[in-house]
Amino acid sequence: MLGHRRKKEERHEAIDPGARAARRGERRIRAADAPEFAQRLGQSYRESFALYDANRDGVLTREEARGSNLLLAQFHEMDLDRSSAVTRAELERFLEAMPPSAR
């Protein structure tokens, strides 16, 4: 049973590098894990944008973003022109402000 639990934790860590830190009781991600985490975070933003852009027009409204905690939490920062909508170009500019490994 313990072996099964360990394998499950390893699979989870492969998906979420922050899980590795949490399992060790740490609150922060180790520097060695940061590039991988940042890259996955950028990919998560892009995938969430595509998923929640309900009408597939390349523009995410606040209403569409309500389905994603990730997008909703950063909506104001991503909406660079304050139009109450985020375009794919705005998303990419938002991600460019992140560390290079997140792009």
Side-chain angles (χ1 to χ4, degrees):
M1 185 71 176
L2 189 57
H4 175 69
R5 181 176 180 196
R6 178 73 181 136
K7 285 188 185 282
K8 184 176 180 182
E9 288 173 354
E10 288 171 359
R11 283 194 308 269
H12 184 66
E13 288 172 5
I15 296 169
D16 179 6
R20 202 172 310 143
R23 188 174 53 78
R24 289 191 307 261
E26 299 171 4
R27 300 193 119 197
R28 291 183 279 172
I29 297 170
R30 294 185 312 173
D33 296 332
E36 180 184 355
F37 180 79
Q39 184 177 16
R40 289 177 190 227
L41 182 61
Q43 188 61 32
S44 291
Y45 274 102
R46 288 181 184 97
E47 289 173 0
S48 293
F49 187 97
L51 180 66
Y52 289 99
D53 181 14
N55 58 1
R56 306 290 184 245
D57 63 352
V59 177
L60 190 74
T61 64
R62 185 173 295 277
E63 188 63 35
E64 289 172 321
R66 289 193 198 286
S68 168
N69 290 335
L70 177 69
L71 294 174
L72 194 56
Q74 297 299 320
F75 192 88
H76 186 72
E77 285 75 21
M78 290 187 295
D79 184 13
L80 300 175
D81 64 1
R82 302 298 181 244
S83 64
S84 297
V86 177
T87 64
R88 186 163 295 280
E90 286 178 310
L91 172 66
E92 291 304 322
R93 285 196 306 255
F94 170 77
L95 294 175
E96 285 173 10
M98 292 179 145
S101 54
R103 298 181 217 153

